[in-house]
Amino acid sequence: MFEKYVKLLKENSIKITPQRLEILKYLDENRTHPTADQIYTGLKEKNPSLSKTTVYNSVETLEEHGLIQSLTISGSESRYDFRNDMHHHFLCKKCGTIIDIDIKCPNIGKMLESGHKVEEVHGYFKGICKDCMKKETKQNGS
Amino acid sequence: MFEKYVKLLKENSIKITPQRLEILKYLDENRTHPTADQIYTGLKEKNPSLSKTTVYNSVETLEEHGLIQSLTISGSESRYDFRNDMHHHFLCKKCGTIIDIDIKCPNIGKMLESGHKVEEVHGYFKGICKDCMKKETKQNGS
DNA sequence: ATGTTAAATTGTAATGATTACAACTTAGAA
DNA sequence: TTCTAAGTTGTAATCATTACAATTTAACAT
């Protein structure tokens, strides 16, 4: 059940706690880029003793060790992504969905030459997603 | 003094107010990607009646009309950029500076084919800036 | 110039995400 | 099994942002 996450934590010398395992599992199974509050609400029922502070602490630890990624695409709250490989994101301003965009940044070469030490790369696109576009054209009858 | 900004507002059919002119001028002259609070503090002394709500309202209006850009690179607060052309940003985790990176996103072509309607593109790099790197190597004596 | 009105500004209060903190609990090493 | 540093919890504080109602004003028509 949790072997996968136990392994991940062990490999990164992070102390194993039931809360961290639950949070990792939740993020792995919910690739919707949830907020801390959504993680908390999603786990609270089956883990009544869970505290929201623990969610914040845990995602911070997991991010520091590179196990997960945090996104600031929405502006108002952080979102968390189980994927830690480089990819970009698209935020639909209409339905709020955040979609993974599987492209790598071709500018990294230039950045490495700049003299700055680059540790994170975030590519955020914002607009109206494919599905909402379809709905719009249907409504307009055009 | 303010002709440039009067022109900008007129061209975009935005009602001209002293507050909006001051805020635009501040952003033009302070290309440090200031927060709403920094704009407010920077202008408050010479404009004692200025309200922080007005700063928030104004930057929102200016952004909606495409005159300025807002950045969510830091996560905890929005930052505002007088430049509205496409460019990327680098946030130094050590000194907090946000540096303009003059590269365009070569992925836009792919995005246009994706079916999503792209209205905004944000490229955020995070790490340690050139200056802080120099200081670090000096300290280490290496 | 003056009057009119919708829009903008202001100050304060509310909200919402996140952090600080102190008491309690627990994972993992000895 | 014991010990201790680290993790968890709940509550209270903080900080950015938004809501709102009263006042003021930009811009247009007269």
Side-chain angles (χ1 to χ4, degrees):
Chain A
M1 192 64 166
F2 287 104
E3 305 81 21
K4 178 180 176 184
Y5 311 109
V6 171
K7 188 163 170 270
L8 274 175
L9 294 178
K10 270 192 181 156
E11 285 170 354
N12 288 274
S13 335
I14 303 173
K15 202 180 266 188
I16 292 155
T17 71
Q19 291 86 349
R20 287 173 179 168
L21 292 172
E22 289 285 0
I23 290 167
L24 262 182
K25 181 163 172 285
Y26 183 88
L27 285 173
D28 189 12
E29 294 175 350
N30 296 81
R31 303 296 185 102
T32 54
H33 316 92
T35 63
D37 192 69
Q38 288 169 331
I39 298 170
Y40 171 74
T41 304
L43 293 174
K44 184 71 177 173
E45 199 175 349
K46 299 216 170 168
N47 307 267
S49 78
L50 181 65
S51 163
K52 200 180 278 187
T53 301
T54 299
V55 175
Y56 278 106
N57 289 339
S58 295
V59 291
E60 189 185 5
T61 301
L62 296 174
E63 190 191 2
E64 280 169 1
H65 287 80
L67 281 182
I68 66 172
Q69 228 178 326
S70 85
L71 313 179
T72 62
I73 191 169
S74 91
S76 53
E77 74 270 297
S78 288
R79 298 181 162 272
Y80 300 93
D81 191 342
F82 187 79
R83 284 180 62 179
N84 57 4
D85 62 314
M86 193 196 299
H87 63 291
H88 292 182
H89 294 92
F90 179 92
L91 168 67
C92 178
K93 292 181 187 176
K94 196 150 201 176
C95 66
T97 305
I98 295 174
I99 300 166
D100 286 310
I101 305 289
D102 280 302
I103 46 183
K104 282 170 194 165
C105 177
N107 289 316
I108 290 178
K110 282 186 195 169
M111 284 307 296
L112 294 177
E113 295 164 18
S114 70
H116 306 307
K117 183 180 173 193
V118 178
E119 294 171 348
E120 293 179 45
V121 179
H122 299 263
Y124 298 150
F125 301 94
K126 302 184 193 181
I128 314 291
C129 76
K130 200 194 291 188
D131 286 356
C132 286
M133 286 304 291
K134 278 184 199 162
K135 286 174 198 159
E136 258 185 29
T137 52
K138 275 186 192 168
Q139 278 191 345
N140 297 338
S142 60
Chain B
M1 193 67 166
F2 287 103
E3 306 81 24
K4 178 180 176 185
Y5 312 110
V6 170
K7 187 164 172 268
L8 274 175
L9 293 178
K10 269 192 182 153
E11 285 170 354
N12 289 273
S13 334
I14 303 172
K15 201 179 268 191
I16 293 156
T17 70
Q19 292 85 349
R20 286 172 179 170
L21 292 172
E22 289 285 359
I23 290 166
L24 262 182
K25 182 163 172 284
Y26 184 88
L27 286 172
D28 190 12
E29 295 175 349
N30 295 81
R31 304 295 186 103
T32 53
H33 316 92
T35 63
D37 191 69
Q38 287 170 331
I39 299 170
Y40 171 74
T41 305
L43 293 174
K44 183 71 176 174
E45 197 174 352
K46 299 215 170 167
N47 307 268
S49 78
L50 181 65
S51 162
K52 199 179 281 188
T53 302
T54 300
V55 175
Y56 278 105
N57 289 339
S58 296
V59 291
E60 189 186 4
T61 301
L62 296 173
E63 190 191 1
E64 280 169 3
H65 287 79
L67 282 182
I68 65 171
Q69 228 179 326
S70 85
L71 313 179
T72 62
I73 191 169
S74 90
S76 52
E77 75 270 296
S78 288
R79 297 180 164 273
Y80 301 93
D81 191 341
F82 187 81
R83 285 181 60 179
N84 57 4
D85 62 313
M86 193 196 300
H87 63 290
H88 291 182
H89 294 93
F90 179 93
L91 168 67
C92 178
K93 293 181 189 176
K94 195 150 201 176
C95 67
T97 305
I98 295 174
I99 299 165
D100 286 310
I101 304 290
D102 280 300
I103 46 183
K104 283 170 193 162
C105 178
N107 289 316
I108 291 177
K110 283 187 196 168
M111 284 307 296
L112 294 176
E113 296 164 17
S114 70
H116 307 308
K117 182 180 175 195
V118 178
E119 293 172 348
E120 293 178 45
V121 179
H122 299 263
Y124 299 150
F125 301 94
K126 303 185 192 181
I128 314 290
C129 75
K130 201 195 289 189
D131 286 357
C132 286
M133 286 303 289
K134 278 183 198 162
K135 286 174 197 160
E136 260 185 27
T137 52
K138 275 184 190 167
Q139 277 190 345
N140 297 337
S142 60

